[in-house]
PDB file of all heavy atoms in Angstrom:
ATOM      1  N   GLY A 191      91.280-186.591 -51.875  1.00 77.00           N
ATOM      2  CA  GLY A 191      92.320-187.332 -52.570  1.00 77.00           C
ATOM      3  C   GLY A 191      92.816-188.514 -51.781  1.00 77.00           C
ATOM      4  O   GLY A 191      92.653-188.592 -50.560  1.00 77.00           O
ATOM      5  N   PRO A 202      98.325-184.919 -51.514  1.00 80.00           N
ATOM      6  CA  PRO A 202      97.222-184.065 -51.952  1.00 80.00           C
ATOM      7  C   PRO A 202      96.843-183.057 -50.874  1.00 80.00           C
ATOM      8  O   PRO A 202      97.144-183.241 -49.698  1.00 80.00           O
ATOM      9  CB  PRO A 202      96.084-185.060 -52.211  1.00 80.00           C
ATOM     10  CG  PRO A 202      96.372-186.181 -51.271  1.00 80.00           C
ATOM     11  CD  PRO A 202      97.880-186.276 -51.190  1.00 80.00           C
ATOM     12  N   VAL A 302     107.982-167.287 -42.065  1.00 83.00           N
ATOM     13  CA  VAL A 302     109.211-166.556 -42.397  1.00 83.00           C
ATOM     14  C   VAL A 302     110.421-167.170 -41.692  1.00 83.00           C
ATOM     15  O   VAL A 302     111.454-167.422 -42.312  1.00 83.00           O
ATOM     16  CB  VAL A 302     109.073-165.066 -42.015  1.00 83.00           C
ATOM     17  CG1 VAL A 302     110.406-164.338 -42.182  1.00 83.00           C
ATOM     18  CG2 VAL A 302     108.002-164.399 -42.872  1.00 83.00           C
ATOM     19  N   GLY A 305     110.406-171.274 -42.927  1.00 71.00           N
ATOM     20  CA  GLY A 305     110.525-171.492 -44.361  1.00 71.00           C
ATOM     21  C   GLY A 305     111.671-170.756 -45.004  1.00 71.00           C
ATOM     22  O   GLY A 305     112.187-171.174 -46.045  1.00 71.00           O
ATOM     23  N   PHE A 520     109.288-170.348 -50.757  1.00 60.00           N
ATOM     24  CA  PHE A 520     110.196-170.333 -49.614  1.00 60.00           C
ATOM     25  C   PHE A 520     111.557-170.907 -49.982  1.00 60.00           C
ATOM     26  O   PHE A 520     112.587-170.463 -49.482  1.00 60.00           O
ATOM     27  CB  PHE A 520     109.589-171.121 -48.441  1.00 60.00           C
ATOM     28  CG  PHE A 520     108.413-170.436 -47.807  1.00 60.00           C
ATOM     29  CD1 PHE A 520     107.360-171.164 -47.313  1.00 60.00           C
ATOM     30  CD2 PHE A 520     108.374-169.055 -47.707  1.00 60.00           C
ATOM     31  CE1 PHE A 520     106.266-170.544 -46.727  1.00 60.00           C
ATOM     32  CE2 PHE A 520     107.295-168.418 -47.127  1.00 60.00           C
ATOM     33  CZ  PHE A 520     106.236-169.159 -46.636  1.00 60.00           C
ATOM     34  N   ILE A 550     108.409-167.506 -29.741  1.00 95.00           N
ATOM     35  CA  ILE A 550     107.839-168.821 -29.442  1.00 95.00           C
ATOM     36  C   ILE A 550     107.422-168.926 -27.978  1.00 95.00           C
ATOM     37  O   ILE A 550     106.404-169.556 -27.658  1.00 95.00           O
ATOM     38  CB  ILE A 550     108.836-169.939 -29.819  1.00 95.00           C
ATOM     39  CG1 ILE A 550     108.890-170.075 -31.340  1.00 95.00           C
ATOM     40  CG2 ILE A 550     108.428-171.268 -29.192  1.00 95.00           C
ATOM     41  CD1 ILE A 550     109.725-171.208 -31.848  1.00 95.00           C
ATOM     42  N   ILE A 612     121.205-154.345 -15.517  1.00 91.00           N
ATOM     43  CA  ILE A 612     121.676-155.497 -14.734  1.00 91.00           C
ATOM     44  C   ILE A 612     122.171-156.561 -15.715  1.00 91.00           C
ATOM     45  O   ILE A 612     121.471-157.541 -16.003  1.00 91.00           O
ATOM     46  CB  ILE A 612     120.545-156.078 -13.851  1.00 91.00           C
ATOM     47  CG1 ILE A 612     119.811-154.960 -13.110  1.00 91.00           C
ATOM     48  CG2 ILE A 612     121.096-157.101 -12.862  1.00 91.00           C
ATOM     49  CD1 ILE A 612     118.601-155.440 -12.329  1.00 91.00           C
ATOM     50  N   LEU A 625     105.533-165.960 -19.262  1.00 97.00           N
ATOM     51  CA  LEU A 625     104.739-165.644 -18.072  1.00 97.00           C
ATOM     52  C   LEU A 625     103.774-164.493 -18.326  1.00 97.00           C
ATOM     53  O   LEU A 625     102.594-164.548 -17.935  1.00 97.00           O
ATOM     54  CB  LEU A 625     105.669-165.310 -16.901  1.00 97.00           C
ATOM     55  CG  LEU A 625     106.533-166.468 -16.379  1.00 97.00           C
ATOM     56  CD1 LEU A 625     107.503-165.965 -15.316  1.00 97.00           C
ATOM     57  CD2 LEU A 625     105.657-167.583 -15.816  1.00 97.00           C
TER      58      LEU A 625
END
Side-chain angles (χ1 to χ4, degrees):
V302 172
F520 290 145
I550 287 185
I612 313 174
L625 294 174

